[in-house]
Amino acid sequence: MKYKTKASKLIKQYTDQHSDQSFTAHHLYEYIVEQGQTVNLSTIYRNLDQFVDEGILTKFKTGHNDVFMYRVNQDVSHCHEHLHLPVSYTHLTLPTT
């Protein structure tokens, strides 16, 4: 990470605490404000883009709206042939082979 600002440190703290959950820039904004800090959404997006560029986060859309979601990249070296996607509900049966 290029910059070591209060915002970037709080973003890293949030991602460490929520490494198993998807989140939006707005979730981060609310978290930072709850920590008593002020930050612009543009700062959050800039930091998120940096985390994505560094391979720390994955950025995606769910299809439910135009909001980008972020998720911490886990060790998925065994998953090179498929994607892990969040599912809110499904009526679909997928074959296992």
Side-chain angles (χ1 to χ4, degrees), residues 63-94:
H64 295 290
N65 55 41
D66 285 335
V67 176
F68 278 106
M69 301 289 294
Y70 298 86
R71 188 167 182 100
V72 175
N73 287 326
Q74 304 290 331
D75 177 21
V76 290
S77 57
H78 62 282
C79 301
H80 64 277
E81 295 179 355
H82 62 272
L83 298 173
H84 290 248
L85 301 172
V87 178
S88 57
Y89 67 90
T90 183
H91 299 284
L92 191 66
T93 303
L94 301 174

Side-chain angles (χ1 to χ4, degrees), residues 2 4-5 15 27 30 37 42 45 51-52 56 65 77-79 82-83 86 88 94:
K2 266 185 179 176
K4 295 293 182 190
T5 63
T15 60
H27 290 130
E30 290 174 346
Q37 298 295 318
S42 61
Y45 282 111
F51 274 63
V52 170
I56 297 168
N65 55 41
S77 57
H78 62 282
C79 301
H82 62 272
L83 298 173
S88 57
L94 301 174

Side-chain angles (χ1 to χ4, degrees), residues 22-23 26 31 38-39 41 43 45-46 48 53-54 70 85 92:
S22 298
F23 56 89
H26 192 73
Y31 174 77
T38 56
V39 66
L41 272 174
T43 300
Y45 282 111
R46 187 171 44 254
L48 287 171
D53 291 345
E54 292 176 7
Y70 298 86
L85 301 172
L92 191 66

